[in-house]
Amino acid sequence: MAPSLEPFFKQVDDSSENFIDRLRKAVAIPSISAQDENRPDVVRMAQFLTDELTALGAEVEQRPLGKQPGKEHLELPPVVVARYGNDPNKRTILVYGHYDVQPALKEDGWATEPFELTIDDKDRMYGRGSTDDKGPVLGWLNVIEAHKKAGVDFPVNLLCCFEGMEEYGSEGLDDFIQAESKKYFKDADAVCISDNYWLGTEKPCLTYGLRGCNYYSISISGPAQDLHSGVFGGSAHEPMTDLVNVLSKLVDAQGNILIPGIAELVAPVTEEEKSLYPDISYTMDNLHESLGAETGIHATKERTLMARWRFPSLSIHGVEGAYSAPGAKTVIPAKVIGKFSIRTVPNMESADVNKLVFDYIKAEFAKLNSKNTLDVWLQHDGKWWVASPKHGNFSAASKAVKQVFGVDPDMTREGGSIPVTLTFEQATGKNVLLLPMGSSTDAAHSVNEKLDRRNYIEGTKLLGAYLHYVAEEPTL
Amino acid sequence: MAPSLEPFFKQVDDSSENFIDRLRKAVAIPSISAQDENRPDVVRMAQFLTDELTALGAEVEQRPLGKQPGKEHLELPPVVVARYGNDPNKRTILVYGHYDVQPALKEDGWATEPFELTIDDKDRMYGRGSTDDKGPVLGWLNVIEAHKKAGVDFPVNLLCCFEGMEEYGSEGLDDFIQAESKKYFKDADAVCISDNYWLGTEKPCLTYGLRGCNYYSISISGPAQDLHSGVFGGSAHEPMTDLVNVLSKLVDAQGNILIPGIAELVAPVTEEEKSLYPDISYTMDNLHESLGAETGIHATKERTLMARWRFPSLSIHGVEGAYSAPGAKTVIPAKVIGKFSIRTVPNMESADVNKLVFDYIKAEFAKLNSKNTLDVWLQHDGKWWVASPKHGNFSAASKAVKQVFGVDPDMTREGGSIPVTLTFEQATGKNVLLLPMGSSTDAAHSVNEKLDRRNYIEGTKLLGAYLHYVAEEPTL
């Protein structure tokens, strides 16, 4: 163990009740970014962080982001940026987190008050935002506090970027990061984001890849208004019939994308990559548990994880404009919009994917000989991201995991997207590490969100140890 | 012209302002059966009819139907039954109509106040319920009044059955008709319903057939809860993928039902039947006008009308449980329910259709090799109805059309269902005639519902003339 870690770790243990109390205060602020009426709470949460960081000796600023697009009566919550330490002989590490949370109501099915941190007899700390992402954000504050109290020199200069709109599309953040990349963030030598989860419950992981997402709409329209199926059924082309037909040509029941050319865009699996999978702590039972059903497509964990992480997938999300209520309505909808998305992976470029998608859908629709009108467009896209798990930023985190948890971390990717990851990488030109604190059972975005006491306290040690090791890495 | 019709017709013309005033009073009562808060208005409308019929000398009763199923705090509006005349030497004709209306709000797009009868310079009388079905119901009252004022002997005994829940599923009516078929309605020699529309705007029609409707749900379920498509896309069977696949196997873009065996259940087109179509006053332009688009499937009016009236059709109405809002949500729905219905025609028996549908869907789903779970069931069915257009009841109406409008009526069917038709036929064992008053442009159920003055006044003559001719028919 690096000599300075021991007193730091001891101090974290000694301060753990303090740290839990800090989390309790944060959870008590319902900083729900999606609900207009909670905007003052989001701002209050920004002030809480500002006060805590200031008390710890950081230089803190609240940066305004202007009016909320589409809701101009609302001011976006500020980005809280902070600098702790300004030693030109130390590396500078930029950390990101978010202080806003998902909505939560007791009546949604919470066993406890969502905005009161409640600890059960298994040391599970329930509360909205506990794991997503107040626990990890406060982890960085705890690291500063423990160093100060233990009298351990802080190993790096720390830059913080804590936003308050992550759960509502990170409005305004991309532009802010771009603008500050050569200003407030210019010294950053590496970036660390703690806002995702372990693959399971026991073994920490480092995350080096994310899939992208291209989200499409297909609209098919015919008559000028909805029709009665008794009167017009059989005599007019029905948009819903055509849509169902086109959607059925996109993906088969085994998850294979049927759009020609997509598979050819996917980077081949290398032997080195393949070798990472067998050791990953994951089982088919883990999949079945998280599905709540045995409806997995693949037989092995390796194939399942690859399907999730490094192959594209296509999901059909729903239909707008058709009859979606319970009951029986004999309508022929005049215009229906099918929604689907493709999770993208290296080396799928969005423009190439779009062309294949548009050409194929138009060709399949043409085969129907329908007099209805089809349109297909991209709603939004977000690029995939893959970092090298061999980079010094990851090596440092790996050593920290080994130090705190006694195991080598799983090197994982995620099937979903965390768009800010790519933004930081592109804006700063530095390596970005995803270093999760919470576990797979934390129920972020769901009822009964929690963070285990172990994940919070040992996670605080992990964040601190990472800063020590990343300070010492030969190259970054 | 039968000698007694001339003074009756003259009286209708002379009383036309009175009759329009009667319609104005009726339209002013917002008897919306679907909205709880309007239930007192529905009851007020029943009382209005009761008072008017009583003043005309009819024996009137309001028959209670009990509590509304599922809304036990609400009393169903009464059926208003009336008898006018009790001469054993005359035939007895049972007429049906409904005094409730669809909801209507000015802000839905009405050019005028929906519950104020407003007559424009083309004598179009706008107002909710004007054509559906207050105009036709009042037509029968007008017929009585004109006979009394003109001193013309009423040609038949008239039995009225006016309900107040037609726009909300005719709750309670079927049982009532069954129960009264051998009591209040026992003398009926024939039944006449005026609650549908001309095929166009110029030429009256008599309607001798209706399609039935079998409404189905297909549910496909997999995971225990909705999944994130980033996390699970590619590794789990998706219910929406399976559903779209199964739905795409039901009907092709040209409206052909793909379920084996359905076509074999359909009665062949006879030469006699075929001969009815060419003379029907309908054009492809009429179809395009009502569609608001040129998206008709068939090239000729004959094929179009047959597709609507005498062949089955299959429409996909929508999906419950999938993402149906605007925007982009990356959800894998855990359980989706597809809704579709088949319009049925002679000789499709519901049980036979169900078996073909269930077997086929299960077989198609099995081909997918999905681990998800499929269920398919019938939500409800209603049988098709076809009467002989050669029956005396129709001959009488045909002569009345010729007398009033100077043309032979089109003999039409309808693609939709009017379930009470079959109920009356089965309960009374008598012929049922559909004798519409309004035209195809009346916009029943839509904004700016109207009844043309001509259709109301000449329609009143038509109903009266029909009673005279049906009184004289050699056989019924």
Coordinates of all heavy atoms in Angstrom, one line a residue, chain B residues 53-113:
Chain B
L53 N -94.6 13.6 -27.1 CA -95.4 12.4 -27.5 C -96.7 12.4 -26.8 O -97.8 12.2 -27.4 CB -94.6 11.1 -27.2 CG -93.6 10.7 -28.2 CD1 -92.6 9.7 -27.6 CD2 -94.2 10.2 -29.5
T54 N -96.7 12.7 -25.5 CA -98.0 12.8 -24.8 C -98.9 13.9 -25.3 O -100.1 13.6 -25.5 CB -97.7 13.1 -23.3 OG1 -96.8 12.1 -22.8 CG2 -99.0 13.1 -22.4
A55 N -98.3 15.0 -25.6 CA -99.1 16.1 -26.2 C -99.7 15.7 -27.6 O -100.8 16.2 -27.9 CB -98.2 17.4 -26.4
L56 N -99.0 14.8 -28.3 CA -99.5 14.4 -29.6 C -100.6 13.3 -29.4 O -101.1 12.8 -30.4 CB -98.4 13.9 -30.5 CG -97.4 15.0 -30.9 CD1 -96.2 14.4 -31.6 CD2 -98.1 15.9 -32.0
G57 N -100.8 12.8 -28.2 CA -101.8 11.8 -28.0 C -101.3 10.4 -27.9 O -102.1 9.5 -27.8
A58 N -100.0 10.2 -27.8 CA -99.5 8.9 -27.6 C -99.5 8.5 -26.2 O -99.5 9.3 -25.3 CB -98.1 8.8 -28.1
E59 N -99.6 7.1 -25.9 CA -99.4 6.6 -24.6 C -97.9 6.4 -24.4 O -97.3 5.6 -25.1 CB -100.1 5.3 -24.4 CG -101.6 5.4 -24.6 CD -102.1 4.0 -24.9 OE1 -101.7 3.0 -24.2 OE2 -103.0 3.8 -25.8
V60 N -97.3 7.1 -23.4 CA -95.8 7.1 -23.2 C -95.4 6.5 -21.9 O -96.1 6.8 -20.9 CB -95.3 8.5 -23.4 CG1 -93.7 8.4 -23.6 CG2 -95.9 9.2 -24.5
E61 N -94.4 5.8 -21.9 CA -93.8 5.3 -20.6 C -92.3 5.5 -20.6 O -91.7 5.3 -21.6 CB -94.1 3.8 -20.4 CG -95.6 3.4 -20.2 CD -95.7 1.9 -20.1 OE1 -95.0 1.3 -19.4 OE2 -96.7 1.4 -20.8
Q62 N -91.8 5.8 -19.4 CA -90.3 5.8 -19.3 C -89.9 4.5 -18.5 O -90.3 4.4 -17.4 CB -89.8 7.0 -18.5 CG -90.0 8.3 -19.3 CD -89.4 9.5 -18.6 OE1 -88.7 9.4 -17.6 NE2 -89.6 10.7 -19.2
R63 N -89.2 3.7 -19.2 CA -88.8 2.4 -18.6 C -87.4 2.5 -18.0 O -86.4 2.7 -18.7 CB -88.9 1.3 -19.6 CG -90.3 1.0 -20.1 CD -91.2 0.5 -19.0 NE -92.4 0.0 -19.6 CZ -92.6 -1.2 -20.1 NH1 -91.6 -2.1 -20.1 NH2 -93.7 -1.6 -20.7
P64 N -87.2 2.3 -16.7 CA -85.9 2.3 -16.1 C -85.1 1.1 -16.5 O -85.6 0.0 -16.7 CB -86.2 2.3 -14.6 CG -87.5 1.6 -14.5 CD -88.3 1.9 -15.7
L65 N -83.8 1.3 -16.6 CA -82.9 0.2 -16.9 C -81.9 -0.1 -15.8 O -81.0 -0.9 -15.9 CB -82.0 0.5 -18.2 CG -82.8 0.6 -19.5 CD1 -81.9 1.1 -20.6 CD2 -83.5 -0.7 -19.8
G66 N -82.1 0.5 -14.6 CA -81.2 0.2 -13.5 C -80.0 1.0 -13.5 O -79.8 2.0 -14.2
K67 N -79.0 0.6 -12.6 CA -77.8 1.3 -12.5 C -76.9 1.0 -13.7 O -77.0 0.0 -14.3 CB -77.0 0.8 -11.2 CG -77.8 0.8 -9.9 CD -77.9 2.2 -9.4 CE -78.6 2.3 -8.1 NZ -79.0 3.7 -7.7
Q68 N -76.0 2.0 -14.0 CA -75.1 1.8 -15.1 C -73.9 0.8 -14.6 O -73.2 1.1 -13.7 CB -74.5 3.1 -15.5 CG -73.5 3.0 -16.7 CD -73.2 4.4 -17.3 OE1 -74.0 5.3 -17.1 NE2 -72.1 4.5 -18.0
P69 N -73.7 -0.3 -15.4 CA -72.7 -1.2 -15.0 C -71.3 -0.5 -15.0 O -71.0 0.2 -15.9 CB -72.7 -2.2 -16.1 CG -74.1 -2.1 -16.7 CD -74.5 -0.7 -16.6
G70 N -70.6 -0.7 -13.9 CA -69.3 -0.1 -13.7 C -69.3 1.3 -13.2 O -68.3 1.9 -12.8
K71 N -70.5 1.9 -13.2 CA -70.7 3.3 -12.7 C -72.0 3.3 -11.8 O -73.0 3.9 -12.2 CB -70.8 4.3 -13.8 CG -69.5 4.5 -14.6 CD -69.7 5.7 -15.5 CE -68.4 6.0 -16.2 NZ -68.5 7.2 -17.2
E72 N -71.9 2.5 -10.7 CA -73.2 2.2 -10.0 C -73.8 3.5 -9.3 O -74.9 3.4 -8.9 CB -73.0 1.1 -9.0 CG -73.1 -0.3 -9.6 CD -72.0 -0.7 -10.6 OE1 -70.9 -0.1 -10.5 OE2 -72.1 -1.6 -11.4
H73 N -73.0 4.6 -9.3 CA -73.6 5.8 -8.8 C -74.6 6.5 -9.8 O -75.3 7.4 -9.5 CB -72.5 6.8 -8.4 CG -71.7 7.2 -9.5 ND1 -70.7 6.4 -10.1 CD2 -71.6 8.4 -10.2 CE1 -70.1 7.0 -11.1 NE2 -70.6 8.2 -11.2
L74 N -74.6 6.0 -11.0 CA -75.4 6.6 -12.1 C -76.5 5.7 -12.5 O -76.4 4.5 -12.7 CB -74.5 6.8 -13.3 CG -73.6 8.0 -13.4 CD1 -72.9 8.0 -14.7 CD2 -74.4 9.3 -13.2
E75 N -77.7 6.3 -12.5 CA -78.9 5.5 -13.1 C -78.8 5.6 -14.6 O -78.5 6.7 -15.1 CB -80.1 6.3 -12.5 CG -81.4 5.5 -12.5 CD -81.5 4.4 -11.4 OE1 -80.9 4.7 -10.3 OE2 -82.1 3.4 -11.7
L76 N -79.0 4.5 -15.3 CA -79.1 4.6 -16.7 C -80.3 5.4 -17.1 O -81.4 5.4 -16.4 CB -79.3 3.2 -17.3 CG -78.0 2.3 -17.3 CD1 -78.4 0.8 -17.6 CD2 -77.0 2.8 -18.3
P77 N -80.2 6.2 -18.2 CA -81.4 6.9 -18.7 C -82.5 5.9 -19.1 O -82.2 4.8 -19.5 CB -80.9 7.7 -19.8 CG -79.6 7.1 -20.3 CD -79.1 6.3 -19.1
P78 N -83.8 6.3 -19.0 CA -84.8 5.4 -19.3 C -85.0 5.2 -20.8 O -84.6 6.0 -21.6 CB -86.1 6.1 -18.8 CG -85.7 7.6 -18.9 CD -84.3 7.7 -18.6
V79 N -85.6 4.0 -21.2 CA -86.0 3.9 -22.5 C -87.4 4.5 -22.6 O -88.3 4.3 -21.7 CB -86.2 2.4 -22.9 CG1 -86.7 2.2 -24.3 CG2 -84.8 1.7 -22.7
V80 N -87.6 5.4 -23.6 CA -88.9 6.0 -23.8 C -89.7 5.1 -24.8 O -89.2 5.0 -25.9 CB -88.8 7.4 -24.3 CG1 -90.2 8.0 -24.6 CG2 -88.1 8.3 -23.3
V81 N -90.7 4.5 -24.3 CA -91.5 3.7 -25.2 C -92.9 4.3 -25.3 O -93.4 5.0 -24.4 CB -91.7 2.2 -24.7 CG1 -90.4 1.4 -24.8 CG2 -92.3 2.1 -23.3
A82 N -93.5 4.3 -26.5 CA -94.7 4.9 -26.8 C -95.6 4.1 -27.7 O -95.0 3.4 -28.6 CB -94.5 6.3 -27.3
R83 N -96.8 4.2 -27.6 CA -97.8 3.6 -28.5 C -98.7 4.7 -29.0 O -99.3 5.4 -28.3 CB -98.6 2.5 -27.8 CG -99.8 2.0 -28.6 CD -100.6 0.9 -27.9 NE -99.9 -0.4 -28.1 CZ -100.1 -1.2 -29.2 NH1 -100.8 -0.8 -30.2 NH2 -99.5 -2.4 -29.2
Y84 N -98.8 4.8 -30.4 CA -99.8 5.7 -31.0 C -100.7 4.9 -31.8 O -100.4 4.4 -32.9 CB -99.0 6.7 -31.8 CG -99.9 7.8 -32.3 CD1 -100.5 8.8 -31.5 CD2 -100.3 7.8 -33.7 CE1 -101.3 9.8 -32.0 CE2 -101.2 8.8 -34.2 CZ -101.7 9.8 -33.3 OH -102.5 10.7 -33.8
G85 N -101.9 4.7 -31.3 CA -102.9 4.0 -32.0 C -103.0 2.5 -31.5 O -102.0 2.0 -31.2
N86 N -104.2 2.0 -31.5 CA -104.4 0.7 -31.0 C -105.5 -0.1 -31.7 O -106.4 -0.7 -31.1 CB -104.7 0.8 -29.5 CG -104.3 -0.4 -28.7 OD1 -104.0 -1.5 -29.3 ND2 -104.3 -0.3 -27.4
D87 N -105.4 0.1 -33.0 CA -106.5 -0.5 -33.9 C -106.1 -1.9 -34.3 O -105.2 -2.0 -35.1 CB -106.7 0.5 -35.1 CG -107.8 0.0 -36.0 OD1 -108.3 -1.1 -35.9 OD2 -108.3 0.9 -36.7
P88 N -106.9 -2.9 -33.9 CA -106.5 -4.3 -34.3 C -106.6 -4.5 -35.8 O -106.0 -5.5 -36.3 CB -107.5 -5.1 -33.5 CG -108.6 -4.2 -33.1 CD -108.1 -2.8 -33.1
N89 N -107.2 -3.6 -36.5 CA -107.3 -3.8 -37.9 C -106.1 -3.2 -38.7 O -106.1 -3.3 -39.9 CB -108.6 -3.2 -38.5 CG -109.8 -4.0 -37.9 OD1 -109.8 -5.2 -37.9 ND2 -110.8 -3.2 -37.4
K90 N -105.3 -2.5 -38.0 CA -104.1 -1.9 -38.6 C -102.9 -2.7 -38.3 O -102.8 -3.3 -37.2 CB -103.9 -0.5 -38.2 CG -105.0 0.5 -38.6 CD -104.7 1.9 -38.1 CE -105.8 2.9 -38.6 NZ -105.7 4.2 -37.9
R91 N -101.9 -2.6 -39.2 CA -100.6 -3.2 -38.8 C -99.9 -2.3 -37.7 O -100.2 -1.1 -37.6 CB -99.7 -3.2 -40.1 CG -100.1 -4.3 -41.0 CD -99.1 -4.5 -42.1 NE -99.3 -5.8 -42.8 CZ -99.3 -5.9 -44.1 NH1 -98.9 -4.9 -44.8 NH2 -99.5 -7.1 -44.6
T92 N -99.0 -3.0 -37.1 CA -98.2 -2.3 -36.0 C -96.8 -2.2 -36.4 O -96.2 -3.2 -36.7 CB -98.4 -3.0 -34.7 OG1 -99.8 -3.0 -34.3 CG2 -97.6 -2.3 -33.6
I93 N -96.2 -1.0 -36.5 CA -94.8 -0.8 -36.9 C -94.0 -0.3 -35.7 O -94.4 0.6 -35.0 CB -94.7 0.2 -38.0 CG1 -95.6 -0.3 -39.2 CG2 -93.2 0.4 -38.4 CD1 -95.1 -1.7 -39.8
L94 N -92.9 -1.0 -35.4 CA -92.0 -0.6 -34.3 C -90.9 0.2 -34.8 O -90.2 -0.2 -35.8 CB -91.5 -1.9 -33.6 CG -90.4 -1.8 -32.6 CD1 -90.8 -0.9 -31.4 CD2 -90.1 -3.2 -32.0
V95 N -90.7 1.4 -34.3 CA -89.6 2.2 -34.8 C -88.6 2.5 -33.6 O -89.0 2.6 -32.5 CB -90.1 3.6 -35.4 CG1 -91.0 3.3 -36.5 CG2 -90.7 4.5 -34.3
Y96 N -87.4 2.5 -34.0 CA -86.3 2.7 -33.0 C -85.5 4.0 -33.3 O -85.3 4.3 -34.5 CB -85.3 1.5 -33.0 CG -84.0 1.8 -32.3 CD1 -83.8 1.6 -31.0 CD2 -82.9 2.3 -33.1 CE1 -82.6 1.9 -30.4 CE2 -81.7 2.6 -32.5 CZ -81.5 2.4 -31.1 OH -80.3 2.8 -30.5
G97 N -85.1 4.6 -32.3 CA -84.1 5.7 -32.5 C -83.4 6.0 -31.1 O -83.7 5.3 -30.1
H98 N -82.5 6.9 -31.1 CA -81.9 7.2 -29.8 C -81.8 8.8 -29.6 O -81.6 9.5 -30.5 CB -80.5 6.6 -29.6 CG -79.5 7.1 -30.6 ND1 -78.6 8.1 -30.3 CD2 -79.1 6.7 -31.9 CE1 -77.8 8.3 -31.3 NE2 -78.1 7.5 -32.3
Y99 N -82.0 9.1 -28.3 CA -82.0 10.6 -28.0 C -80.8 11.1 -27.3 O -80.8 12.3 -26.9 CB -83.3 10.9 -27.2 CG -83.4 10.2 -25.9 CD1 -82.8 10.7 -24.7 CD2 -84.1 9.0 -25.7 CE1 -82.8 10.1 -23.5 CE2 -84.2 8.3 -24.5 CZ -83.5 8.9 -23.4 OH -83.6 8.3 -22.1
D100 N -79.8 10.2 -27.1 CA -78.5 10.7 -26.6 C -77.6 11.1 -27.8 O -77.9 10.8 -28.9 CB -77.9 9.7 -25.7 CG -77.5 8.4 -26.5 OD1 -78.3 8.0 -27.3 OD2 -76.4 7.9 -26.3
V101 N -76.6 11.8 -27.4 CA -75.7 12.3 -28.5 C -74.2 12.1 -28.1 O -73.9 11.8 -26.9 CB -75.9 13.8 -28.8 CG1 -77.3 14.1 -29.3 CG2 -75.6 14.7 -27.5
Q102 N -73.3 12.3 -29.0 CA -71.9 12.3 -28.8 C -71.5 13.6 -28.1 O -72.1 14.6 -28.1 CB -71.1 12.3 -30.1 CG -71.1 10.9 -30.8 CD -70.0 10.0 -30.3 OE1 -68.9 10.5 -30.1 NE2 -70.4 8.8 -30.1
P103 N -70.3 13.5 -27.4 CA -69.8 14.8 -26.8 C -69.5 15.8 -27.8 O -69.3 15.5 -29.0 CB -68.5 14.3 -26.1 CG -68.7 12.8 -25.9 CD -69.5 12.4 -27.0
A104 N -69.5 17.1 -27.4 CA -69.2 18.2 -28.4 C -68.8 19.4 -27.6 O -69.4 19.8 -26.6 CB -70.4 18.5 -29.3
L105 N -67.6 20.0 -28.0 CA -67.2 21.2 -27.4 C -66.8 22.2 -28.6 O -66.2 21.8 -29.5 CB -65.9 21.0 -26.6 CG -66.0 20.2 -25.3 CD1 -64.7 19.9 -24.7 CD2 -66.9 21.1 -24.3
K106 N -67.3 23.4 -28.4 CA -67.0 24.4 -29.4 C -65.5 24.4 -29.8 O -65.1 24.5 -31.0 CB -67.4 25.8 -28.9 CG -67.1 27.0 -29.8 CD -68.3 27.4 -30.6 CE -68.3 28.7 -31.3 NZ -67.1 29.2 -31.9
E107 N -64.6 24.3 -28.7 CA -63.2 24.4 -29.0 C -62.6 23.1 -29.7 O -61.5 23.2 -30.2 CB -62.4 24.6 -27.7 CG -62.7 23.6 -26.6 CD -63.8 24.2 -25.6 OE1 -64.8 24.8 -26.1 OE2 -63.6 24.0 -24.4
D108 N -63.4 22.1 -29.9 CA -63.0 21.0 -30.7 C -62.9 21.4 -32.2 O -62.3 20.6 -33.0 CB -64.0 19.8 -30.6 CG -63.9 19.2 -29.2 OD1 -63.0 19.4 -28.5 OD2 -64.9 18.4 -28.9
G109 N -63.4 22.5 -32.6 CA -63.3 23.0 -33.9 C -64.7 23.3 -34.6 O -64.8 23.4 -35.8
W110 N -65.7 23.3 -33.7 CA -67.1 23.7 -34.3 C -67.1 25.1 -34.7 O -66.5 26.0 -34.0 CB -68.1 23.5 -33.2 CG -68.5 22.1 -32.9 CD1 -67.8 21.1 -32.3 CD2 -69.7 21.5 -33.3 NE1 -68.5 19.9 -32.3 CE2 -69.7 20.1 -32.9 CE3 -70.9 21.9 -34.0 CZ2 -70.7 19.2 -33.1 CZ3 -71.9 21.0 -34.2 CH2 -71.8 19.7 -33.8
A111 N -67.7 25.4 -35.8 CA -67.8 26.8 -36.3 C -68.9 27.5 -35.6 O -68.9 28.7 -35.6 CB -68.1 26.7 -37.8
T112 N -69.8 26.7 -35.0 CA -71.0 27.3 -34.3 C -71.1 26.7 -32.9 O -70.4 25.7 -32.7 CB -72.3 27.1 -35.0 OG1 -72.5 25.7 -35.1 CG2 -72.2 27.7 -36.4
E113 N -71.9 27.2 -32.1 CA -72.2 26.6 -30.8 C -72.8 25.2 -31.0 O -73.9 25.1 -31.6 CB -73.1 27.4 -29.9 CG -72.4 28.6 -29.3 CD -71.3 28.3 -28.3 OE1 -71.4 27.2 -27.7 OE2 -70.4 29.1 -28.2

